[in-house]
Amino acid sequence: MDYEVASEDVMAEYVYNRSNTKLIVSSYVNGTKPSAEELGYLIACMQSTGADVLKLVLDVEKITDLAPVFTMLSHCQMPLIALAVGSRGLISQLLGPKFGGVLVYGSLSDKAVPGMPTLLSLRQVYKLEYINADTKVFGLISNPVGHSKGPILHNPAFRHTGYNGIYVPMQVDDVKEFFRTYTSSDFAGFSVGIPHKEAAVGCCDEVHPLAKSIGAVNTIVRRPTDGKLVGYNTDCDASISAIEDALTERRITQKGVLGASPLAGKTFVLIGAGGAGRALAFGAKSRGARVIIFNRDYERARALAKAVSGEALPYESLDRFRPENGMILANASAIGMEPNSDQSPVSKEALKAYELVFDAVYTPRNTRLLQEAKEVGAVVVSGVEMFIRQALGQFRLFTGGLAPEAFMRKLVLEQF
């Protein structure tokens, strides 16, 4: 029954006639972001109706609007259901059981509702029946966040290793406000995605030296001993080691001489100067490659080139840049990502100058760039391989233990 019509007389009639029926009184909170105090007052008023269960439905503009909702779920003295509407409200359902929510909503797979998980994902991915008050919360901070495969990897891995954690997508607009709001030790670790990898550095209390030199973090862990946020970058080693392993395998096949990094002395052409691009640039430089950077924003490319003693060139000249054959190409931009999977940052003809092509985009697994690179004879490395490797690094940081590599690799490859 809606709270607005749950008058004393109406309630008395229902209570008298209903025998064993339970009564939910529901209120829709619209408009401005309610504080914990305002929600507390509303709940107190709703309790006075004599309801058995209370339900709050809220419109949320930002993920930080949900903090007082979790506070209410934790402290309410009677059963409470909370449902936040909109894409930023998704965690209201996924984390509801941890904070004391008595009921969770899911949508049918063929009738998607923004901010509502599908029943299939609740059953197979999140398995909320395992969640309790002690469950540690991890998640991807990104915008957009819908493309992420993190939940289908980390949640089964937590259960496989017996770790009491849940990994959820968090659509975040303002990363600084997010960390100012969610300060509880319940929120134990985060993957950091587009476009927050650089801004998130400033949110950390401490930053690992490699991440500091790169100027981007993709992993943040709340240290249990003092609650400080510590930033790391697992993108760098993940992407560079995937490229090196592919080159090494090719050289072994060709009976080449193995020694230093196969990237040493190579021309390393990089597209994109954001967080992932910075990780690739610093990684390639550390292996002795000559780094050439192309980015739509030339000033960003120039700043990154200066940091790695490389060179920045205008984005428009990318297709014409063919000073030699046998170069390495790495795409760290979002070009070719679903739903724009028909796009490629480089023409097929220009790809003939490259020995190896790496694409950080992993949705789809086989991007147009990789398809065309393979057709012209280049070695190709999918973003899926980088995704697996950086996720293994994150899982170790999240849990403070070993990651089940074979299990996680199998999971990812089954999903792509």
Side-chain angles (χ1 to χ4, degrees), residues 87-386:
S87 58
R88 287 149 183 84
L90 177 63
I91 63 170
S92 72
Q93 297 310 287
L94 299 180
L95 302 183
K98 171 183 169 55
F99 293 104
V102 295
L103 187 147
V104 167
Y105 286 85
S107 65
L108 299 175
S109 297
D110 58 346
K111 293 191 170 49
V113 178
M116 196 177 285
T118 63
L119 291 174
L120 195 65
S121 72
L122 288 173
R123 283 281 191 203
Q124 295 185 357
V125 178
Y126 297 105
K127 292 189 183 282
L128 298 188
E129 62 268 28
Y130 293 103
I131 306 305
N132 56 43
D134 296 323
T135 301
K136 292 296 184 186
V137 178
F138 301 87
L140 170 66
I141 297 170
S142 185
N143 189 5
V145 81
H147 68 283
S148 172
K149 304 291 185 188
I152 61 175
L153 176 61
H154 286 289
N155 287 304
F158 284 146
R159 292 191 292 273
H160 182 76
T161 56
Y163 187 88
N164 188 2
I166 184 171
Y167 185 98
V168 297
M170 299 173 171
Q171 187 166 334
V172 173
D173 302 287
D174 184 333
V175 70
K176 289 184 178 175
E177 184 187 11
F178 176 86
F179 282 113
R180 278 197 305 267
T181 303
Y182 292 103
T183 57
S184 158
S185 60
D186 288 318
F187 292 85
F190 310 90
S191 307
V192 185
I194 296 170
H196 300 311
K197 293 188 180 192
E198 292 163 86
V201 173
C203 302
C204 297
D205 299 301
E206 295 175 19
V207 181
H208 185 271
L210 173 64
K212 188 177 278 190
S213 66
I214 293 170
V217 297
N218 77 321
T219 311
I220 297 177
V221 174
R222 193 181 304 279
R223 194 160 51 205
T225 51
D226 57 12
K228 293 207 166 176
L229 295 173
V230 186
Y232 301 89
N233 192 305
T234 66
D235 282 337
C236 181
D237 186 61
S239 54
I240 294 298
S241 67
I243 292 169
E244 285 182 318
D245 287 354
L247 285 172
T248 300
E249 189 177 322
R250 179 186 177 103
R251 290 181 184 191
I252 290 172
T253 306
Q254 296 174 344
K255 296 185 170 57
V257 179
L258 298 177
S261 167
L263 287 173
K266 285 280 191 183
T267 298
F268 190 96
V269 178
L270 174 64
I271 306 167
R278 293 186 70 85
L280 278 155
F282 276 87
K285 182 207 173 191
S286 74
R287 303 306 202 269
R290 171 180 167 240
V291 182
I292 312 291
I293 302 164
F294 294 87
N295 191 61
R296 289 190 194 278
D297 182 338
Y298 179 70
E299 288 308 311
R300 279 184 71 117
R302 197 164 74 165
L304 178 54
K306 185 178 178 184
V308 296
S309 306
E311 186 180 350
L313 294 173
Y315 186 80
E316 299 71 32
S317 64
L318 173 58
D319 258 8
R320 300 190 302 276
F321 181 74
R322 301 181 209 178
E324 60 191 78
N325 287 328
M327 299 186 293
I328 308 296
L329 177 68
N331 175 39
S333 74
I335 298 169
M337 183 187 288
E338 291 173 351
N340 302 311
S341 51
D342 59 328
Q343 297 177 4
S344 174
V346 184
S347 70
K348 186 174 179 179
E349 181 63 29
L351 290 172
K352 292 176 180 175
Y354 297 95
E355 178 185 357
L356 179 144
V357 175
F358 166 79
D359 198 343
V361 172
Y362 64 84
T363 51
R365 177 179 180 178
N366 195 20
T367 59
R368 180 179 170 186
L369 172 65
L370 294 183
Q371 289 172 34
E372 293 182 345
K374 194 169 186 179
E375 285 166 12
V376 299
V379 176
V380 297
V381 179
S382 165
V384 173
E385 186 58 36
M386 173 186 171

